[in-house]
Amino acid sequence: MVSFRSLFNQAVTTRFRFIIGYGIIIALLMIVIGADISNTPNGLSQVELDQAVTSSQMSLNTSFDWAINGTYNFIQKLSIDAFGLSRLSLVIPSLIFGIATVMLFTLTMRHWFRDSVSVVSTAIFATSIPFISMLRSGTPEIM
């Protein structure tokens, strides 16, 4: 009869090690991103407020700024319309683009290097302070 310990050792050391690794990365990223995102010590910065105004007044006829940050502004306008003006609605586009960036980074690392290097490099990238700072801001810096 197979014991739990041998099954656990086999799962961790062979078949499921990369699935477990990516699961841990996703869990850490969600914890770091979601940790008290609605509360900030000083509220919204002036840049975030300006970005909210730009997104809420977005139209194709105003200027050519929409060509550069148009996707971000459109998603932010949709989130402001759906959830009202709040910290979370301003950050939703950054979260979407940040998660997409982590997935593309992971796929690129898996293409260039072995899977073990990919897991470690994605964990380092996803938990780096500059990336998390851009992810938690309500501005198009993430792009």
Side-chain angles (χ1 to χ4, degrees), residues 14-26 119:
T14 57
R15 281 188 253 169
F16 302 110
R17 65 179 179 237
F18 295 114
I19 294 171
I20 292 170
Y22 288 125
I24 291 171
I25 290 171
I26 291 169
V119 170

Side-chain angles (χ1 to χ4, degrees), residues 27-38 88 95 135-136:
L28 286 174
L29 185 61
M30 291 300 132
I31 289 170
V32 169
I33 291 171
D36 206 19
I37 202 163
S38 61
L88 182 63
L95 296 176
L135 201 76
R136 291 178 61 111

Side-chain angles (χ1 to χ4, degrees), residues 87-100:
R87 176 89 178 130
L88 182 63
S89 67
L90 293 178
V91 176
I92 284 176
S94 295
L95 296 176
I96 292 170
F97 285 114
I99 290 169

